[in-house]
Amino acid sequence: MEQENRSIKAENHFREILIHLGEDPDREGLIDTPKRYIKFLTEFLKPKEFNFTTFTNEETDEMIVQTNIPFYSLCEHHIAPFFGTGCIAYIPDGKIVGLSKLARTLDLYANRLQNQERITTQIAERLMNELNPKGVAVSLKAQHLCMCMRGVKKHDTFTTTTKLLGVFKTNDAARNEFLTYIK
């Protein structure tokens, strides 16, 4: 009941924002918009935790890379969407992770009010903590609608962030191999 009351209150606040913007929240296309918007934010900003399933590495000691992982987030400064793709790599040292967990880790940290740099770091640190691998490398490439639609209004501009830990930070060959995957 309390959650329902909070949702109704949030919907009413969003309705007031629409009025502030000069919109008529009672017109056909906007009648249910406050309810839909609050439902969207509630669903999107509560990513589901998951079991970080690991397995014995079965002598796999070379880089494991997952590329072109789509992600969506909301800029914490403007609550405008940013979206793109991620590349996640690690070199096992005893454990490998179920492949879906790499993409789920990206979603876990992206589906929040965020900034791209923090997401990149959070993914890398989570994988280092969960797997204790020889190294982790994460690269995210995203388009930020806060740059496209407001401010400088530059479309087709992408931001790339990386976080290198372990051998990816200290070993030129590992770093260079990873960089070939993100080009």
Side-chain angles (χ1 to χ4, degrees), residues 39-40 60 94 103 105-106 125:
K39 182 179 179 186
F40 157 70
T60 302
T105 302
L106 174 50
E125 289 175 350

Side-chain angles (χ1 to χ4, degrees), residues 65-69 85-89 106 137-140 178 181-182:
V65 183
Q66 199 168 79
T67 61
N68 297 319
I69 309 165
T85 58
C87 179
I88 302 173
L106 174 50
V138 177
S139 179
L140 303 181
F178 174 71
Y181 287 109
I182 65 172

